[in-house]
Amino acid sequence: MSLYMLKAGKMIQRITMLGAGNLATQLGKAFKQSGIEIVQVYSRTKESAAALGKLLNTPFTNRPEKIDRDSDLIIVSVKDDAIAEVLEQTDFSTCLVVHTSGSTPMDLLKRYTGSYGVFYPLQTFSKARDIDFSEIPVCLEASSTETLDQLKELAGRISKVIREVSSEERRILHLSAVFACNFVNHLYYLGGRLLNDQGMSFDLLKPLIRETAVKVMEMDPFDAQTGPARRYDENIIGKHLDLLNNQPETRAIYQIVTNSIYQTHK
Amino acid sequence: MSLYMLKAGKMIQRITMLGAGNLATQLGKAFKQSGIEIVQVYSRTKESAAALGKLLNTPFTNRPEKIDRDSDLIIVSVKDDAIAEVLEQTDFSTCLVVHTSGSTPMDLLKRYTGSYGVFYPLQTFSKARDIDFSEIPVCLEASSTETLDQLKELAGRISKVIREVSSEERRILHLSAVFACNFVNHLYYLGGRLLNDQGMSFDLLKPLIRETAVKVMEMDPFDAQTGPARRYDENIIGKHLDLLNNQPETRAIYQIVTNSIYQTHK
């Protein structure tokens, strides 16, 4: 989408960021690198506001009444529970406001302004790890086609993958991401802990972790499934459960996921 | 390790492969590409034997009495339960025999020959997907230092990463691989199924899956953890559980892994 397609809406050039967590940090950096001006960072805690403000070389505040509303877009990147709280403290009725949450319906914003939307990048973010935004699917939803066009144009400056996604679809997307990312990472952790407990290094698992991920770029995960649970090798499964006898929580995960694989492939 | 270090043992040049599954297929291809001669492939089922024999352009059989024992190494790559069965049918007492199993103690082989070991590549293999062996950790164990040297030299021709690993360590390694690979892949599948059920594509998750894996190449999985379970965002967790009300099995996995993440990070 190029600028001339923005028939009614103005091109977004100046952004106020509410929130200074992992997503706000990486999104702020991506915007800045694309030449977009971050006019201000707000966070409830002074330290977080200062850290991101300094990183982006922009003013910051932790006082709601000082939030700079003289920008083209207010991005709310705070914990889901805090979105309404942040928006209630200040009058945003003349602003374009988006949130970046996977699980919060867009309509929550309706009470605070007439122009609103969702800007949800489907990725895992950590403050300390920079990331190439260009491949990240940015999932958009907006209160009007005009606003949608503005958000598309903005998203197109940081990513090649832009999707229009309803609130209902987005919450499923977020749920699926919890499985494919958050839960996956925890299994990496559990696998590494088993090794560490025996004096072995997590490094041994890295080629396997890489290949397991790369494999499903080309192959359906159903077809890519290997291992004792798929073959239902009861002998190995029994030995593995014995090894986990003193770790009831990890053992329970082993049992329930093994059973799910078996049910899927039997 | 270079050839001159093989003081007593002979350099392995000719291999007989027992088994024709995923691992046998990819290992056979890697050996062949390294200039090692596969003298024969045996499998219990004629079709599997023929498929791998043709792929490697080598003789094949499904009759135990026809197994060609005139080679430098017999590799047993069959289901764990079938290892003893295969070895009982033929006299291998003059052969060097290794198995490739993560969970089978080396000593199982003692009954069949005086020279034996384990050759365990820590990776997920599918017949249809070729793979670069050079980064795969090959975990070795042997009945003597002479045999160990022979196996190290052989492994060094297909991989840069060679580890001496005891039977006890190997079964932990295999268990950890089940978490970091088999279970991870099943979570990819579950995430994809949630999307497919709503008419969305698994492709949307791919950048996230890639980044989740790449992230732990540099960052400890403990530090890399993100998501509602780590933050213990009860509001989102509750919504996710509601979405899974009609999928009790997937819901149970959500609950148990979320709880494990919470216990780990609280």
Side-chain angles (χ1 to χ4, degrees), chain A residues 126 129 186 211 215 260, chain B residues 126 129 186 211 215 225 260:
Chain A
S126 293
R129 182 174 160 78
H186 188 59
E211 168 64 10
K215 202 173 179 181
S260 178
Chain B
S126 294
R129 182 175 161 78
H186 187 59
E211 167 64 10
K215 201 173 178 181
Q225 189 66 53
S260 178

Side-chain angles (χ1 to χ4, degrees), chain B:
Chain B
M1 161 149 330
S2 55
L3 185 53
Y4 71 88
M5 292 183 71
L6 287 170
K7 293 205 177 68
K10 185 182 161 193
M11 186 172 163
I12 295 164
Q13 289 288 26
R14 304 174 71 250
I15 295 180
T16 303
M17 300 202 67
L18 312 187
N22 295 339
L23 170 55
T25 299
Q26 294 303 333
L27 194 55
K29 286 169 96 167
F31 281 141
K32 202 174 177 219
Q33 276 161 24
S34 307
I36 294 158
E37 185 188 348
I38 311 295
V39 302
Q40 190 195 43
V41 170
Y42 160 84
S43 172
R44 274 185 295 185
T45 57
K46 207 172 182 172
E47 295 70 25
S48 304
L52 185 53
K54 281 170 188 164
L55 189 72
L56 300 176
N57 193 24
T58 198
F60 54 88
T61 184
N62 66 327
R63 295 169 59 187
E65 71 275 16
K66 298 276 188 190
I67 290 174
D68 187 346
R69 288 165 295 165
D70 179 24
S71 63
D72 304 326
L73 178 66
I74 311 282
I75 293 195
V76 190
S77 276
V78 297
K79 265 183 81 165
D80 288 23
D81 296 347
I83 296 174
E85 199 184 309
V86 166
L87 292 174
E88 265 152 24
Q89 293 167 330
T90 313
D91 177 9
F92 290 104
S93 60
T94 60
C95 304
L96 169 55
V97 178
V98 297
H99 73 61
T100 58
S101 158
S103 287
T104 304
M106 177 176 72
D107 284 352
L108 177 86
L109 305 176
K110 199 187 273 186
R111 289 160 52 194
Y112 309 104
T113 179
S115 302
Y116 52 90
V118 178
F119 193 101
Y120 173 56
L122 183 63
Q123 190 49 281
T124 170
F125 297 102
S126 294
K127 284 181 192 171
R129 182 175 161 78
D130 288 349
I131 192 168
D132 173 17
F133 247 87
S134 68
E135 305 283 343
I136 299 176
V138 179
C139 304
L140 301 177
E141 191 180 8
S143 55
S144 70
T145 51
E146 182 191 319
T147 300
L148 185 63
D149 284 348
Q150 282 180 288
L151 295 179
K152 277 183 181 170
E153 193 283 327
L154 176 68
R157 279 185 271 161
I158 58 172
S159 173
K160 292 180 292 187
V161 190
I162 297 160
R163 293 278 180 276
E164 212 183 316
V165 169
S166 69
S167 289
E168 177 62 21
E169 288 171 329
R170 184 164 28 84
R171 60 181 196 150
I172 299 290
L173 208 45
H174 186 217
L175 176 61
S176 75
V178 166
F179 280 86
C181 166
N182 302 152
F183 290 179
V184 159
N185 182 77
H186 187 59
L187 293 180
Y188 296 158
Y189 167 78
L190 292 177
R193 198 177 61 182
L194 287 164
L195 292 186
N196 294 163
D197 287 351
Q198 302 292 320
M200 288 183 279
S201 163
F202 178 68
D203 288 349
L204 279 169
L205 288 175
K206 287 180 178 176
L208 181 62
I209 285 172
R210 213 183 294 123
E211 167 64 10
T212 304
V214 171
K215 201 173 178 181
V216 296
M217 300 298 129
E218 294 167 9
M219 207 180 217
D220 190 279
F222 182 90
D223 300 321
Q225 189 66 53
T226 59
R230 174 163 195 175
R231 300 191 302 268
Y232 209 64
D233 189 328
E234 288 183 275
N235 179 20
I236 296 189
I237 293 168
K239 285 183 194 171
H240 283 170
L241 289 171
D242 287 348
L243 283 172
L244 294 170
N245 271 341
N246 58 348
Q247 299 174 59
E249 209 175 69
T250 310
R251 191 177 192 277
I253 293 176
Y254 186 98
Q255 217 154 11
I256 201 167
V257 180
T258 289
N259 189 53
S260 178
I261 294 172
Y262 170 66
Q263 295 297 333
T264 302
H265 289 273
K266 73 179 176 190

Side-chain angles (χ1 to χ4, degrees), chain A residues 199-216:
Chain A
M200 288 183 279
S201 164
F202 179 68
D203 288 349
L204 280 168
L205 288 175
K206 288 180 178 176
L208 180 63
I209 285 172
R210 215 182 292 122
E211 168 64 10
T212 304
V214 172
K215 202 173 179 181
V216 296

Side-chain angles (χ1 to χ4, degrees), chain A residues 31-172:
Chain A
F31 281 141
K32 203 173 177 218
Q33 276 162 25
S34 306
I36 294 157
E37 185 188 350
I38 311 296
V39 301
Q40 189 196 43
V41 170
Y42 160 84
S43 172
R44 273 186 296 186
T45 58
K46 205 170 183 176
E47 296 69 26
S48 305
L52 185 54
K54 281 170 188 165
L55 189 73
L56 300 176
N57 193 25
T58 196
F60 54 89
T61 184
N62 67 326
R63 295 169 60 186
E65 72 275 16
K66 297 277 188 188
I67 290 174
D68 187 347
R69 288 165 294 166
D70 180 24
S71 63
D72 304 326
L73 176 68
I74 310 283
I75 294 195
V76 190
S77 275
V78 298
K79 266 182 79 164
D80 289 23
D81 296 347
I83 297 174
E85 199 184 310
V86 167
L87 292 174
E88 265 152 25
Q89 293 167 329
T90 312
D91 176 10
F92 291 104
S93 59
T94 60
C95 304
L96 169 55
V97 178
V98 298
H99 73 61
T100 58
S101 157
S103 288
T104 304
M106 176 176 72
D107 284 352
L108 176 85
L109 304 176
K110 198 186 276 186
R111 289 160 51 196
Y112 308 104
T113 179
S115 302
Y116 52 90
V118 178
F119 193 100
Y120 173 56
L122 183 63
Q123 189 51 280
T124 170
F125 298 100
S126 293
K127 283 181 192 171
R129 182 174 160 78
D130 288 349
I131 193 168
D132 173 17
F133 247 87
S134 68
E135 305 283 343
I136 299 176
V138 179
C139 305
L140 301 177
E141 190 179 8
S143 56
S144 69
T145 50
E146 179 191 320
T147 300
L148 185 64
D149 284 349
Q150 282 179 288
L151 295 178
K152 277 183 180 169
E153 193 283 328
L154 175 68
R157 278 184 272 163
I158 59 172
S159 172
K160 293 180 293 189
V161 190
I162 297 160
R163 294 278 179 278
E164 211 183 318
V165 169
S166 69
S167 289
E168 177 62 21
E169 288 169 330
R170 184 162 31 82
R171 60 182 198 151
I172 299 291

